[in-house]
Amino acid sequence: MNDLRDLYQQTIFDHYRQPRNLAKLKDANRSAEGYNPLCGDKITIYLQVEDGVIKGASFEGSGCAISTASASLMTENLKGKSEDEALQLLDKFHGMVTGNIRAGDLGKLAVLSGVVEFPQRVKCAILAWHTMKAALQNVGETVTTE
Ligand code: ZN
């Protein structure tokens, strides 16, 4: 179990130091901003959606290791998913970080399951996901986790 935890921490740190998809998405047709006042995490999510399928996902922003790694992992996961699948994944992810769903279901996203032990960090982990939902729904205002 400790080995697994080390692996999870290494993966989070790797995504924090070298975030995937950290750029403005040139062909984005959806975007939203998110803010977590508890920690100061700020994020913008960009999505390219065609015929209900997410063709591209990226993010910009500045935040802690957890929020950055979560956004990085999320954008990696979204490509090729339908809007419905993306929202279902959000529900699963939310369930995982709040301790209601086993991490085994979530593949690589399981690396963030450890935040369940740190309630203040749950909002860091979920920020990118709520912002992604707002982007899909084309909400034009900043989403806050409060
Ligand atoms: Zn944070």
Side-chain angles (χ1 to χ4, degrees):
M1 192 61 204
N2 279 336
D3 286 351
L4 190 61
R5 187 169 292 190
D6 284 351
L7 176 70
Y8 283 1
Q9 285 175 352
Q10 279 170 25
T11 305
I12 290 169
F13 199 57
D14 174 51
H15 277 263
Y16 175 54
R17 283 191 309 184
Q18 295 181 301
R20 319 306 194 259
N21 309 307
L22 179 63
K24 192 169 179 172
L25 191 64
K26 194 162 56 75
D27 298 319
N29 52 10
R30 312 278 183 91
S31 68
E33 292 177 16
Y35 178 50
N36 172 18
L38 216 65
C39 178
D41 307 315
K42 282 184 185 166
I43 199 166
T44 305
I45 299 288
Y46 301 97
L47 300 173
Q48 181 195 355
V49 182
E50 284 172 23
D51 299 326
V53 176
I54 297 170
K55 302 280 187 183
S58 74
F59 75 103
E60 283 183 315
S62 59
C64 66
I66 298 290
S67 67
T68 303
S70 183
S72 175
L73 285 155
M74 182 190 79
T75 51
E76 265 194 335
N77 249 272
L78 288 178
K79 279 174 206 166
K81 292 218 163 34
S82 70
E83 294 188 51
D84 282 349
E85 286 169 341
L87 294 175
Q88 281 165 18
L89 198 59
L90 184 162
D91 285 343
K92 276 191 185 176
F93 185 81
H94 189 265
M96 179 184 78
V97 295
T98 51
N100 297 315
I101 286 182
R102 286 161 50 96
D105 260 15
L106 277 121
K108 204 174 170 187
L109 297 172
V111 298
L112 286 159
S113 59
V115 301
V116 74
E117 291 171 43
F118 306 96
Q120 291 186 334
R121 288 299 189 178
V122 170
K123 288 180 175 171
C124 300
I126 205 77
L127 177 66
W129 293 83
H130 279 314
T131 309
M132 175 273 286
K133 184 177 182 180
L136 283 179
Q137 296 172 342
N138 251 330
V139 178
E141 54 196 61
T142 300
V143 182
T144 132
T145 52
E146 288 304 291

